[in-house]
Amino acid sequence: MVKLITIRSKGKGVTKTSMGKFVEKRPGKVKITIFDYDATSFQERNVDGPEECVPPKEGTFRWINIDGIYDKELVEKVCANFKVHSLVVKDILNNETRPKADDSCEYICIIMKMLYLEKPGIIIEQLSMILGPNYIVTFQERVGDVFGPIRDQIRTGRGRLRKSGSDYLAYKLIDAVVDDYFVILDSMREKIEDIEEEVVMDPAPEMLTVMHLLKKELIYLRKVVWPARELVNDLQTSESPLIKETTVMFLKDIYFHIIRVVDTIEIIHDIVSDTLDIYLSSISVKTNAVMKVLTVIATIFIPLTFLVGIYGMNFKYMPELTEPWGYPLILGISITAAVTMLTYFWKKHWL
Amino acid sequence: MVKLITIRSKGKGVTKTSMGKFVEKRPGKVKITIFDYDATSFQERNVDGPEECVPPKEGTFRWINIDGIYDKELVEKVCANFKVHSLVVKDILNNETRPKADDSCEYICIIMKMLYLEKPGIIIEQLSMILGPNYIVTFQERVGDVFGPIRDQIRTGRGRLRKSGSDYLAYKLIDAVVDDYFVILDSMREKIEDIEEEVVMDPAPEMLTVMHLLKKELIYLRKVVWPARELVNDLQTSESPLIKETTVMFLKDIYFHIIRVVDTIEIIHDIVSDTLDIYLSSISVKTNAVMKVLTVIATIFIPLTFLVGIYGMNFKYMPELTEPWGYPLILGISITAAVTMLTYFWKKHWL
Amino acid sequence: MVKLITIRSKGKGVTKTSMGKFVEKRPGKVKITIFDYDATSFQERNVDGPEECVPPKEGTFRWINIDGIYDKELVEKVCANFKVHSLVVKDILNNETRPKADDSCEYICIIMKMLYLEKPGIIIEQLSMILGPNYIVTFQERVGDVFGPIRDQIRTGRGRLRKSGSDYLAYKLIDAVVDDYFVILDSMREKIEDIEEEVVMDPAPEMLTVMHLLKKELIYLRKVVWPARELVNDLQTSESPLIKETTVMFLKDIYFHIIRVVDTIEIIHDIVSDTLDIYLSSISVKTNAVMKVLTVIATIFIPLTFLVGIYGMNFKYMPELTEPWGYPLILGISITAAVTMLTYFWKKHWL
Amino acid sequence: MVKLITIRSKGKGVTKTSMGKFVEKRPGKVKITIFDYDATSFQERNVDGPEECVPPKEGTFRWINIDGIYDKELVEKVCANFKVHSLVVKDILNNETRPKADDSCEYICIIMKMLYLEKPGIIIEQLSMILGPNYIVTFQERVGDVFGPIRDQIRTGRGRLRKSGSDYLAYKLIDAVVDDYFVILDSMREKIEDIEEEVVMDPAPEMLTVMHLLKKELIYLRKVVWPARELVNDLQTSESPLIKETTVMFLKDIYFHIIRVVDTIEIIHDIVSDTLDIYLSSISVKTNAVMKVLTVIATIFIPLTFLVGIYGMNFKYMPELTEPWGYPLILGISITAAVTMLTYFWKKHWL
Amino acid sequence: MVKLITIRSKGKGVTKTSMGKFVEKRPGKVKITIFDYDATSFQERNVDGPEECVPPKEGTFRWINIDGIYDKELVEKVCANFKVHSLVVKDILNNETRPKADDSCEYICIIMKMLYLEKPGIIIEQLSMILGPNYIVTFQERVGDVFGPIRDQIRTGRGRLRKSGSDYLAYKLIDAVVDDYFVILDSMREKIEDIEEEVVMDPAPEMLTVMHLLKKELIYLRKVVWPARELVNDLQTSESPLIKETTVMFLKDIYFHIIRVVDTIEIIHDIVSDTLDIYLSSISVKTNAVMKVLTVIATIFIPLTFLVGIYGMNFKYMPELTEPWGYPLILGISITAAVTMLTYFWKKHWL
C-alpha cells in the first residue's frame, strides 16, 4: 500500500502557533556538520553547539548542515549568528512552509521540499538554505539526504565545486533535490503502467485503491513542485549580487528540469484520470455482459417453467394429460421456444 | 451533521436595500471597547455611546472595537466621528460585502470574514476595520472573537505591539483571522481523511452527504479566501503612508499564509472530488459483484428447476417416469450441469 | 416550471437582418416620458412624438425614457435629434446586442440587460442608455421597470440626485438594474437549496428537471452579467469628461456589486453541478441496494425451489419419497440453507 | 442525420505537400468575375484567363472574384499580377489554412471560412481575400456565396459602398460571412432545444447520436470562429494605411458580432454538455425504476413459489396434505406475505 | 494494437545521472554525413571520426548530420570543435530533453522531437541542431529521417536552398519535422472516426482500448508539440543575427503550421473525450434495455408460475381441482394477466 506520510506525528510533540505547526524538540540529537573549503584545501568537522556556526573569514567558503530543526533554540541561535530576520527563522522552524526564495540583500533564504520514497509511501522533508556571500547554512528535518555526491566532490576537489562560490554550491544542492523528484515520478509511472493494460480486460477493485492513492500523491506533489518552479525562476531572474552571472546559466538548466517534472506530473495525472474513466466504462461493460447472461437464461427458462407448471397441476379435468401426444408436444414446444429465443438473442448480439 | 450557517436569520429582521442586506437593530446590547495605549501605558474601558469613539490625540494609539453592527445609527455616528465616506459605511453595515481593502488617503477600510467552527457548522462573520494614522476601529457582528492574545499583548506590553503603530496592530488582527482559517481547514481535512480509506472497501450513503457538504463549504470558503488574498496583496503593495515600511514585510508573511490557505482549499477540493469519483466507481464495482452472484445462482438453478418441472407434469404417457434409472439420471444431469456451470463461471472470474 | 423566455415571439413580427433580429413595430403604443429637472425644480410629461425629444438647454437636466423599441422610425428620429451614430442606433434597435459601453466623445451609449422574474421564467429585456453632458435617453423594450424609486427621488428632490449631473442619474439607473439581479439569484439559490437536502436521501426525477433548468438559466445569466462587468469597469476607468470624478467612486461601488453577482452565479453553478453529481451517485447507491434485495431473495429461494421441485417429480422409483424422514429432512435442509445464506449476506453487509 | 463535410474528397484529387493539402485542378471551369466601379459608374464582366486580373488604374475600384482554387496555375498567375508573396499564395491554395490576417504593407491577405448548411451537414469553404489600396481579389473554393446583396449594392449604387474604398468593401464581405454564422448556430440551437425537453422524461438513444454530432460540429466551429475573432481584432487595431479611420468603427462592430458568435457557441456547448449529463442521469433513474419493479415482483412471488412447491412434493408422509385446513392455510400465508411485502415496498417508496 | 514506444530500453544500457537518462554507446556504428555546399557547388561525404566535423571556411555552408547519439565521446568531441557549452552537450546526449531553442550568441541550439509511425506505435526520436553562422550540426538517435527531399535539393541545387544561408536550411529541417506531425495526426483522426459512428449503435469493449491508447498518445503528443510551439515562436521573435530577416517570414509560416497541429490535437482530444462519454451513455442505454426485457419476462411469468404452483399442490381438500371449469379458468386468468401486463409495459414504452 502506498501512503503519503510526513514525519510529523499527529498532535503529539507539535506546538500549534500562529505560524502553523512547529516541530518540537525531540530526544534525538541534532547533528551539525561544517565544511570549510577553498580551491586548494578543505576541512570537515562535526560540532555540538551553535557557537561555531558563524560566517567564515573572507576568501574561504563554509557549508554548515544542520540535521534536525526540532531544537528551536539551537536554530534560533545559529540564525542569530547570521543575522537572519525573525520571520525567516519562523519559516525555517515550521516544516509546512511553502517553497520560496526570499532575497534580503545580505542573504537569500531558499526553502524547498525533499521527497523520499520510503516503505509506507512518500516522505516530504523540508530543506531550508541560507545562502550568503561565502557561506551556506542548510537545515534539514532529519539525518539522511541526497547530498552524498556533493560532499564527495568537496572532499576530493573534483569538478569546479571548490573553485566556485557558495552560489554554485546552492545550485548543486537544488539540482540534487530536483533530480530526486524524478525517482518518485518514475515509481509512480511504473505503478500506473502496471494497471493500465489490465484495466480494460480485467478491472479489479484493488486498482481503484492504487489509482486513488496515486491521484492523492500527485495533488501533494503539485503543491511541492509548482512553488519550486517559481522559486528557481525567481533565483534565475533575480539580480542579487549573491548569484553570479556564471551560475545563472546553471539555474536556467534546473528551471528546464523542473518544467519537465511539472510536465511529467501533469502527464501522470492525465493518465491516471483517463485510466479511472476507462475503469468505470469497463465495469459498465462487464455489468452489461453479466446482465445479458442473466436475461438470456431467465427469458428462456422462466416461461418454460411456467409451461411445465401448467401440466403439473392436479385438476381432474385436463384433457391433454391423457393424450399420448401431450408429453412430446410440450417437449417440442419447449425446444422450439428455446431455439427461437437463442436465435433472437444471437441476432441482437447478446450471445 | 455539518452545515454552513451565517448568523443572519432568513427574511426576519433584515431590510433588503439597494446595497444588499442590512442587518437590523437587535435586542442584544452593542458592546464598545476602547483601548488607549502607547509604549509605556495603556487604558481599557467599555463605553455605551458613540460619543467617546473619536480619534485619539497625537502620540497615543487607540483601538475601538464594536461588537454588533445591528445598531445602524451607532455605526453611522462612529463613522461620522472618523469622517468615513457614506459608501464605506454601507459596506460595513452590509454583512455580505466582499472582502476588500479600500484606500482613501485618510484611512484604509479593510473588510474580512472571520470563520468559526460552531456546533451545526461553519459560521461566517464579517470584520470591518478602519485603519487610521494612530487608530483602528473594528466592527464585528457579535461578541466573541480570536483577538484575545492580542488584547493580552496590549495589556501586558509584551512584544513590539505597543511600541509599533496602528498598522502593526492591523497586521496582528489580520494575522489572527487568517491563522484561524487553518483550524477550519484542519477539521475539513480530517473529515475527508476519515472517509477516504473506507470509500473503496465499504462505500456508505452517509459518505455522500459528508462529501456534498464538504464541497459546498469549500465553495463558500473560496469565496471568502480568494478576495482576502487580493486584499492582503493590495495592502502589501500599497504605497499608502498609513502602512510603514517595517510592516510591509509582516504583510508579505501573511500573504504567504493566505496562499497556503488557498493551496490547502484546492487540495481538499481535489481530494473530495477524487473521493467522490472513487465512491461512484466503488458502487459500480459492488453492483457488478452483486449482479454476478445473482446471475450465477439464477443461471445454475433456473434451468434445473425447469428440468425437474418437466417430470412433475402429470401426463399419462411419460415413459421415463416408470423407468428405474429415471430419477438417478435426472439427479446426474442436474449435478453435471451445475458443476459445468460453476467451472465456466470460475474461469470467467465471476466467483 | 421555470423557463427562460424573452418577449420576442419566434419568427413572427421579427425581421432578420445582418445586424441580428430587429423587433418590429407592434400595435401597442410607444410611451415616451420626459423629466426636466434642476436642483430647485422639476417637470414630468408624456409626449407622443419624437419632436420634443431633443437635448435640453444648458443648466437643466433631461431624462427621456422610451418604452418600446418596436417603432424603428421613432427611435431613429430621436437618435437623430441627439446625433447618434447609425451603428449605435442599430445596436439599440436589436434586442440581442451584447452589453457594452460605447464612448464616442459627445455621448456614451450604455447597453444592459434587465432581468424580470415573471410567471413562466426569467425575462431578459434590453435597456439602452444615451448619456450626454446634461441628458439621458433610455430605451426599454416594454412598459414597466425597476426605476420607480429613482423617479420618486427626482419628484421629491430627496437625496443628491437633482443636484448632481446626468452621470449620477446613469449611476442610479445602472445600480437599480444590477441590484435587481440579486432577486433572480436569491430565487435560484432557494430552488437549489430546496433540492439539495433531499437529493441524497430521496432523489426524484423532478429534481433533474429543476437542476437542468437552473443550469440553463445560469448559462444565460453569465452571458448577461460577464459583459456587464466589463461595461462597468470600462465606465469606471474611462477618462470621458461626461463622467465626473465624484461619480467614479459610485461606479466603483457598482463594480464590486457586479463582482458579487458573478461570484454568486459561480457559487450557484458549482452547487448545482455538485448536486447533480451527488444525485447520480445516490441513484447508483439506490440501484445497488435494490439489486442486493433481489439477489438475496433469489439466492435463497431459487435453489430451494429447485430442491422441492425434485421431490415434485412423478418418477415411480424415488426411494426417499416413501421414507417417513423424507419430508422433515427436506424442510430441515431448506431452513439450514436459508439461515446459512442469510448469515453470509449479513456478513457481507448486504442486509 | 447531421454531418460535417468539407468539399474535399478523401485522398482523391488531393496532393499532400509540406504545406498541407492542396486542392487539385478539377474538371469544372473556374469562374472569374470582375467588378470595376467608382462613385458614379460600374462595370461587371466575366473573364476567362488571369490576364485581365490586374490592379485597376488609380481613382477606380476593382473587385475580382475567383470561384475555384483548384486551378493552381491560374491562382499563381493572378497572385503574380498583384505581387503576392509565394507563402501567401500557398495559404490561398491550401484550403486548410487557419483564418488569419497577414499585413504586408502593399496588401493585406485575409483568410476566413464560410459555413454553409447543406443537406448532409455543414460545409466549410475557405475565402481568401487580397485587400489592396483600390482593389480586392477574393478566392473561393466553388461557385455560390452569400455576397449577392453586396453585388446588388454595387450594381444599383445604393448605400455608401461605391463611394467608399476597398476597405469598406472588405468590411461588407467579412460582415456577410460572419452574419451567416448565426444561421448555422440557430439551426444547432433548435436541434438541441428539440431534444432538451424530452430528455428527462423520455430519453431515447437517437438523442445520443444528435448530441454527439452537435458536440463534434461545435468543436469544428470553434476552430473556425476563434481565429476569426483574432483576425477581426488584428484588422481593427492594425495601423495599416489600407484601412481608413472611418472603416475601423465598422470593423469594431463586426468584432462585437463575432464575440456574440463565440458566446453563442459556448452557450450551445454548455447546454449540450448539460443535456448529456441529464440524459445519463435519466437513464440511471429509469434503470433504477425498472430494477424496482423486477425486485418487487421477484421478492413477492419467488418465496411463495417455493412455498407451494413444498406441498407439490410427492412424499408419502406429509401430514398437512390430508388436513382440511392445509390448503386455506397456505393461501392465507401467501396473501398475508404478499400484502406485508407490498406495504414494506410502499413505505420504501419503491411503488 | 497501438503503443507509444521510445527506442530507450527500460533500465538496460542506460546511465541514470543528474541530467536524466543518458543513452549509452551501442554496438551499431554511428553514421556521420557532411554536406559542403555553396550556390554553385556541393560535396557529400561520410566520415568516420569527429576530426573532420569542424566549422567550414567562410563563404561555404556545411551541414553535418550525426545519426546515433550513443557515442558520448564522439558527440562531445564534435561539440568541442564547435565550442558548444557543456550543459548544451548534456541536453544533446539526453534524449528526454524538452524541446527548446537556446540562443548563445555564437550558435543557437534547437532541440525537437521527430515522430515516426512504426509498427507497434509512435516512436519519439530527438533531433538536436546546432545552428551557426555558416553551418548546421544535427544529431539524431538513429539512422533514417524525413530529410530526404532536403538532401535532394542540396544535391540538385533546385530551389533557393543552396543560395540561402544556414538559417534557411534550419527552417527547411524544422518544417520537415513539423509537417510530419500531420501524418501522425491524420492516422489518429482516422482511428477515432472509425469508432465514432458505431459507438452509439454497437459499443464494443475493443473501442475502449483504442480510445484509451489514443488519449494516452495525445497526452504525449502535447508534451512534444506545445514546447515546439514556444521554440518556433522564440526563433521567430529572436533578434539573433544568425537568423536573417528574410527567414523570419518562413519561421512565421511554420508557427502557423504548429498552431494548426496544436488545434488538431485539441480537436482529436475533444472528439475522443466526447466519444468516451457517448460510449458510457450507450452502455447505460443498452443495460437499461436488457433490464427491461428481463423485467417484462419475469413480471409476466413469475406470478403465473406461482399460480400454477398452487394447483400443483397435493392437498386432499382442494375443491377447485375437481371442478370441470378449474383448468380453463386458470388458463383464462393466465392469458388475461399476461395480456394486461403486456399492455401496461407497452404503454410504459418498455417494449
Side-chain angles (χ1 to χ4, degrees), chain D residues 119-132:
Chain D
K119 202 57 242 197
I122 297 170
I123 288 176
I124 300 177
E125 190 190 328
Q126 180 161 314
L127 171 73
S128 311
M129 215 186 283
I130 305 291
L131 167 61

Side-chain angles (χ1 to χ4, degrees), chain A residues 173-186:
Chain A
L173 294 171
I174 298 172
D175 193 45
V177 169
V178 170
D179 277 348
D180 208 53
Y181 291 173
F182 285 105
V183 179
I184 309 284
L185 289 175
D186 281 352

